Structure formats: C-alpha cells, structure tokens
C-alpha cells in the first residue's frame, strides 16, 4: 500500500495572525493563579525526568474520578481528546463501514476517518442546527460502525437532542458523545448513558477550561469497555509534566477554575445580548464558551478585526458556513474591547 492514498491530507493549521486579543480557539482566556503556577514549578523541580511516567496515571485518574463522581477504572486518558478520537476510529470502526458525524462539526472526526480510510456519512443539520436524519437511509445506518456527536457542537454551539443520539446508539452503532464544552452548558451530561452501555462512550477534555497546553483528554466508559480501550492506547501517552500539572490543578485549583467558568458563562450572555441588538446579525444561542454568528461581509469584518488586534475564527471558508464567524468568549476586558471595535466596524 502506498502513502499516496493520504496525499490529500494537510497539516492541522490554526490562524496565527499575531493579535493581542485571541478569541479564535475556544480556550479559557484567564490565567492560572500565580500561586498555583509556583506550586507546579516546585513539584516539577523534583521530577525524575530520566524515568518513564506512571503508565496508568493512577493519581490523576483518582482525582478526575472524584470530580466526575465515577470510578478510576471507568476512565481512559489521552494526549488531548484528539488522540482518543483517533484511537476510537482505529479500534471501534470497521472496514468498509461508515463513520457517521454531523456537518458542520469538529474536524477531527473526518480527519481520523480519512487517515484510517473509512467511508464517511455526514449528517446535515437543520436551520436550527439540529440533527437532520431525514435523508439517511436504513441501509446506510446498517453499514455504519461508529458515530461521533459533539454536544454542545462546535462550531454551532447548540446541543443535539439526547434522544436522537440514543436512537443512533440503539441501532448498535458505537457512539461517541464528545462533551468538550459541557462545563459551559446547563443541559445534563451523558456520563450515565456511557456507564450503562457497552457501546456508548463520553469524551471530555481539560483544553476548554484552562489547560489546552498540557493536552489531556478523558474518555468515560463502562469499566470493561474502558479496560479494552485502555489496553489499545500508547503506554506512556500522558507525560510527567501533564500528569503533575493536571494533578495540581485538580487538587488545588478547582475552585478558581469553577469561578472562571462562571464568569465565562455570564460574559457569553453579555456578548449574546450585545450582538443580538444588531438587526442584520444572527446570533445562535450557545451552550459553549463561544458564539456562532452570521453576518454580512464576514470576511471583511474578520480582516478588519485582525487589523484592530482581535482574532476570531472565520468559518466562511467552509462551503455551508459562508458569512459565519465563531467568537470565543474572552475576559470581561477583552470582550469590552471586542464589542467597542465591532460596533465601530459595523457602523462604518
Ligand atoms: C476543542 C475540541 C476538542 C479538543 O480536544 P483536545 O485534543 O482535548 O484539545 C475536542 N472536541 C471538540 C468538539 C472540540 O471542539
């Protein structure tokens, strides 16, 4: 077999225009408290970097299990949820069977399907960005082995109906519910569904709540299923620094992170209220840490914002998302500057 099969792949790229205010990658805009950073440095100074880290991440899994009120053996950790998405694609999809996911959604599902060489079944969304199964045939579903649903969805920010997701799982399709943004949502999570099923798993990540830089993804499954998935991952995928930083933040920094999440949620509401005032802008109600808006001349506004030092994500390059922008919620000060700049550009 030749690698030419994959010559259409492109390295993952994010917009890197050097802007003072970065509202483009759905990160937590707040820093960790300095005291916590110092605690991390103290612990780092003692790490035997010549040795392999704990391959089972025992302490870290215990802390995550406590926070999620589940058991450590119901958890598999990955180098970001990206790694877990790729791992699931390798082990839970079958040759010549579809991988199903909505469109638009997080691009990694498609990329992983392409890498492993699986056919793709893309589910369109309705005008309200709900799943639209009406065009999908029974035969197609019978030929589907794996499904991914980001809930809340990226880039639209809404939450798909759990009943629709269950309907897919009930066909026997291995179903992944990616809850990367669930901390910003008032809607119930799906951990119980995962724990009760042999073919439903939930994904979480620390990336959107303050630790994108350490790459820690979390998979939750029934313990027998988690054990199988855990046996298929790379043995030392969670590095010493990642284990230590995550352990420290989860044991000493959770109340601060929870405060930051609360602020992001109330800032999201403030941005939503401010943007809905403009008559020609459509703002999608969001359960995540970003807003998805439709605006005339999105390309121009995106470029003008960059020139003003503000980077948002331009979704216009995707065929179905012409004139859509995705704006991550920033700090109150960043949001003030964004709104002021936006108002100036809009009235020009
Ligand atoms: C950002 C995002 C992730 C992040 O994955 P990590 O690899 O953990 O940083 C996963 N799923 C969705 C839907 C996302 O938007």
């Amino acid at each position: 077999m030749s690698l030419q099969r994959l010559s259409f792949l492109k390295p993952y790229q994010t917009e890197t225009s050097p802007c003072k205010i970065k509202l483009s990658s759905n990160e937590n805009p707040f820093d960790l408290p300095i005291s916590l950073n110092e605690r991390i440095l103290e612990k780092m100074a003692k790490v035997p970097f010549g040795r392999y880290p704990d391959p089972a991440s025992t302490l870290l899994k215990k802390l995550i299990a406590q926070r999620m009120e589940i058991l450590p053996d119901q958890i598999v950790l990955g180098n970001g949820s990206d790694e877990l998405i790729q791992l699931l694609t390798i082990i839970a999809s079958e040759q010549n069977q579809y991988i199903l996911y909505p469109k638009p959604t997080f691009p990694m599902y498609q990329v992983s399907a392409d890498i492993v060489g699986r056919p793709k079944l893309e589910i369109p969304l309705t005008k309200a960005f709900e799943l639209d199964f009406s065009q999908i045939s029974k035969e197609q579903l019978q030929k589907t082995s794996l499904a991914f649903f980001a809930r809340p969805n990226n880039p639209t920010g809404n939450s798909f109906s759990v009943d629709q997701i269950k309907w897919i799982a009930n066909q026997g399709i291995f179903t992944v519910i990616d809850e990367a943004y669930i901390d910003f949502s008032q809607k119930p999570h799906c951990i119980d569904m995962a724990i009760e099923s042999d073919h439903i798993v939930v994904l979480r990540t620390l990336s959107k709540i303050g630790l994108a830089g350490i790459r820690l993804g979390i998979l939750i499954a029934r313990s027998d299923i988690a054990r199988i998935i855990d046996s298929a991952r790379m043995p030392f995928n969670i590095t010493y620094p990642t284990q230590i930083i995550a352990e420290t933040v989860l044991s000493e920094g959770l109340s601060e992170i929870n405060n930051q999440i609360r602020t992001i949620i109330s800032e999201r509401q403030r941005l939503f209220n401010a943007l809905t005032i403009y008559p020609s802008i459509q703002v999608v109600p969001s359960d995540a840490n970003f807003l998805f808006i439709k605006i005339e001349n999105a390309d121009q506004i995106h470029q003008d914002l960059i020139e003003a030092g503000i980077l948002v994500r331009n979704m216009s390059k995707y065929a179905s998302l012409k004139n859509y922008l995705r704006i991550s919620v920033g700090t109150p000060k960043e949001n003030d500057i964004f709104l002021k700049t936006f108002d100036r550009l809009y009235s020009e």
Side-chain angles (χ1 to χ4, degrees), residues 13 58 61 69 107 127 151 165 167 169 188 213 251 276 288 298 322:
Q13 273 182 336
T58 314
K61 278 189 3 188
E69 300 179 321
K127 278 215 166 65
R151 183 182 179 277
I165 295 175
W167 183 76
S251 54
T276 37
K322 191 159 164 36

Side-chain angles (χ1 to χ4, degrees), residues 268-332:
R268 173 184 75 201
Q269 187 62 44
R270 186 166 75 92
L271 281 176
F272 181 89
N273 294 345
L275 289 172
T276 37
I277 288 174
Y278 300 93
S280 65
I281 301 179
Q282 182 195 334
V283 191
V284 181
S286 171
D287 293 328
N289 62 347
F290 56 84
L291 290 174
F292 189 52
I293 73 167
K294 187 170 192 192
I295 177 170
E296 276 164 44
N297 296 328
D299 288 331
Q300 187 64 48
I301 297 274
H302 174 250
Q303 195 52 41
D304 291 346
L305 282 169
I306 290 178
E307 271 150 39
I310 302 171
L311 184 64
V312 302
R313 184 65 65 93
N314 186 4
M315 308 305 292
S316 266
K317 60 183 169 186
Y318 302 99
S320 61
L321 298 181
K322 191 159 164 36
N323 282 333
Y324 279 97
L325 300 175
R326 193 192 68 192
I327 303 152
S328 309
V329 178
T331 63

